[in-house]
Amino acid sequence: MKSNDVILQTTTKVVLFIILAFSVFIFFNGHHEPGGGFIGGLMTASAIVLLMLAYDLEMVKRILPFDFKVVTAAGLLVAIGTGLGSFLFGVPFLSQTFDYFTFPVLGELELATALLFDIGVYLVVVGVTLTIIQTIGEDQ
Amino acid sequence: MTNLVILPILIPLLTGVILLFIPKNIPFQKILSLISGLSLISVNIFLILNILNNGIQTLELGGWQPPFGIVLVGDMLAVLLVTTTSTVSLAVLLFSFYSIGAEREKFYYYPFYQFLITGVIGAFLTGDIFNLFVFFEVMLIASYILIVHGGTKVQLRESFKYVLVNIISSALFVIGVAYLYAVTGTLNMAHLSERIGSLETGAPILTVIAVLFLIVFGLKGALFPLYFWLPASYAAPPSAIAAIFGALLTKVGIYSIFRTYSIVFIHDTGYTHQILAVLAAITMLAGVIGAIAHQDVKKILVYNVIVAVGFVLFGVATLTEAGFMGAIYYLIHDMVIKGALFLMIGAMVVVAGTSHLKEMSGLIKHHPKLGWMFFTATMALVGVPPLSGFIGKLLLVQGGVDSGQYWIVAVMMLTSLLVMYSMIRIFLNGFYGKIILKEADQYGTTKGLLFPCAILVAVSVFLGLGAQALYPLVATAAETLLQPEIYIDAVLKE
């Protein structure tokens, strides 16, 4: 597949960062509007898919040299690990808690254990989506 | 310990995830799967003892109280089935060590095997209908992968139908869940049971929903006339995968009917349970006709899976104590013995190089152990005392007589005889008769394949001889189903 769409490629270079920044924003929104990990992950995945469409698989593999199957597994491990934390504290599985912390630049922020779980979900979504897309893309 | 009930789900899930990191390191994958299987069994035995002493164990995920949060309920029925699942899955795992082949092992066979078990066990343990759907999907997605795993032509053809049928039934499942929520305002099974039980008059819409759920679970559990997809798709994958499918997957559908038709939909039993009884009777007949008609050993066995569905669901439909106990007992027995028979048929196919009965003969000359184990398993399946099928069938017959459904009992007796005929035919044609294959001509060895079969046959013999020890467990399980208040009180803690 050799396509050289200058308009798409130029636009992608700009739009990619907007999408990625917005996906990070949405990811952290998970505190009060649940599901940040899932939708943020989908958005990141769609940004990478856009990159694949504008350029090609080889280039994306060069700049993101991960095995996305391992990314999926890591995400699952993080998500289950967050649940397993409840064994240490003797509370029901997947219990969550939150507290307020003060950061140097950002000021006071709320951090929740659900965020850790969301990181896992985020990795799983990105990993699974890109595994599927790559598998289909390579199959010619 | 608060989190005990979730351990049977967590162990295979965590194992599966860890295995995803090391797809190419097959020895390590085998060892880890084995450790996980053994620890699963020990956790389950601990859980059974705990339930015997302290009653039903529940876990509110994340500390959210039911009926709002998701709750896992470890009652005796669920835990007995989970324990059986872990035993069968360990034996099939051992079998696949020797039979599945390096090519398949490299492509995530063991991780998805673990995920399949996660889904099955989760479906048994959940106390919430929507969560039941979720675990169904976990199980089904893993089964989609396993049924096509290896990608032979037959598998690709059959998996297409399998996936299509299951996607449609999953869609119907969600629709059913939506109706149920719209009518009752809850999805927690204990809460549902309470609300439906407190109805003054039977609500017709609930009967419709009950029948819709019967269709959904009937599709997964292979109830007449919804079993059409099953024979071809279960015969397509390799023996180890067919064994785990035949032993576990349909049982989850049956369990769901069992659960919903004993605890939730009890408002109009004259209608819903009569339908179930008639369908169960036709299922037995249709299954056994298929079993007799086929010459392919895999197909014969697959049709026998359908017969067992009829037996168990007839027990559910009787709504008597004996019927329920018989159904539970037969369900456990059937998981074990179907696993064993599928594995032995797999070993036969390995040796003979074909699954066609006409082309194999005289295997017992070189494989006496396999032959006699097969004979024992056949006798257990049919229910020759003191083997495991006998007690289940006796209780089922008693339940049928108690509820006055004599003609279905008669159908059951007749079916049992025909099942015997269909299985003995394999024994007579396949093991006895003229010896076709000399030792050197055989297509494979049974090295390592007999031990897993022996485990399951031993468990089956124990289920028959040790019925006395098992009786209190089964009685406790049936008691919970007959008196939903016990279940409701344990879950809602009133």
Side-chain angles (χ1 to χ4, degrees), chain A residues 67 69-70 72-77 80-81 84 86-87 90-96, chain B residues 1-4 6-7 10 13-14 17-18 20-21 59-64 108 115:
Chain A
D67 182 354
K69 292 194 270 299
V70 174
T72 313
L76 277 171
L77 203 60
I80 300 169
L84 285 177
S86 58
F87 278 83
V91 289
F93 190 74
L94 285 179
S95 294
Q96 61 154 328
Chain B
M1 205 161 105
T2 35
N3 284 323
L4 189 58
I6 204 166
L7 272 181
L10 268 185
L13 180 60
L14 205 56
V17 171
I18 293 171
L20 280 180
F21 283 105
L59 170 65
E60 292 144 6
L61 287 184
W64 294 89
Y108 301 95
F115 290 143

Side-chain angles (χ1 to χ4, degrees), chain A residues 106-120:
Chain A
L106 303 167
E108 195 181 59
L109 280 181
E110 181 195 6
L111 283 187
T113 50
L115 184 71
L116 293 173
F117 185 78
D118 256 357
I119 292 174

Side-chain angles (χ1 to χ4, degrees), chain B residues 13-33:
Chain B
L13 180 60
L14 205 56
T15 315
V17 171
I18 293 171
L19 293 184
L20 280 180
F21 283 105
I22 39 157
K24 308 295 177 207
N25 188 349
I26 294 165
F28 186 72
Q29 291 208 23
K30 286 182 176 174
I31 293 169
L32 197 62
S33 306

Side-chain angles (χ1 to χ4, degrees), chain B residues 152-201:
Chain B
T152 60
K153 203 174 167 189
V154 185
Q155 279 179 295
L156 287 172
R157 191 183 65 218
E158 297 306 333
S159 65
F160 183 71
K161 293 177 217 160
Y162 178 80
V163 172
L164 199 62
V165 164
N166 277 301
I167 283 178
I168 291 171
S169 83
S170 293
L172 285 175
F173 195 168
V174 185
I175 292 170
V177 168
Y179 282 157
L180 198 57
Y181 187 74
V183 172
T184 61
T186 181
L187 289 175
N188 183 291
M189 283 198 241
H191 203 211
L192 273 172
S193 172
E194 195 182 46
R195 288 219 168 146
I196 293 177
S198 67
L199 286 177
E200 291 285 315
T201 52

